[in-house]
Amino acid sequence: MNKMRVFIWLIALIGFSACQSKSGQTTEQENVDSLTVAPTEEEKTITGVVGDASMHNFMLVTLEGDTLFVSTMDQEPGDVSGFELGDTVRVDYIEEEEEPGSSTIPTAKKVTVIGKKAESDN
């Protein structure tokens, strides 16, 4: 009878400690998730020529000759429109992650036309 009590007590102790460990892990994971903060979005500026454009992005050829695809998704149309292919523009943008831990996408906050495409006399 005494062995039976010790056995039941031991099972209860193991069961209690197993449940406590799992809840401790969950709490620790929740704390990590709640402390994860998106990086601050520092606004940057780049200048270049619009090489191509579609509904939610455009291609910018920088003054150094680099090609950059800039997203205009979810932006106010008045802030990121008014340019045409060949125009020289200044783009104020932030870099946003496509998905957490993946590469960043430049997202235009404002596009300012600083030079119109030269019209040819054809």
Side-chain angles (χ1 to χ4, degrees):
M1 186 75 154
N2 197 16
K3 288 183 183 180
M4 185 65 120
R5 272 189 183 175
V6 171
F7 182 70
I8 292 174
W9 183 78
L10 186 59
I11 289 176
L13 183 62
I14 291 171
F16 178 72
S17 65
C19 290
Q20 189 174 19
S21 296
K22 287 181 183 177
S23 67
Q25 290 172 354
T26 303
T27 304
E28 185 177 315
Q29 182 64 35
E30 288 171 359
N31 288 341
V32 170
D33 290 343
S34 68
L35 294 176
T36 304
V37 178
T40 56
E41 297 171 341
E42 180 183 332
E43 196 167 293
K44 301 176 183 180
T45 302
I46 193 163
T47 302
V49 176
V50 178
D52 194 11
S54 68
M55 188 172 212
H56 296 293
N57 61 42
F58 64 94
M59 180 179 75
L60 184 72
V61 180
T62 67
L63 301 176
E64 293 80 26
D66 297 327
T67 301
L68 182 68
F69 290 91
V70 181
S71 172
T72 57
M73 187 74 126
D74 300 328
Q75 302 304 315
E76 292 295 322
D79 292 337
V80 294
S81 63
F83 58 87
E84 297 175 357
L85 297 181
D87 287 352
T88 301
V89 296
R90 182 179 60 239
V91 181
D92 298 324
Y93 70 98
I94 59 170
E95 292 182 346
E96 294 184 314
E97 289 183 338
E98 243 179 306
E99 293 185 16
S102 69
S103 61
T104 59
I105 299 173
T107 301
K109 291 300 190 181
K110 184 172 183 176
V111 178
T112 306
V113 177
I114 57 175
K116 294 299 280 179
K117 176 183 173 183
E119 297 293 327
S120 61
D121 297 330
N122 288 345

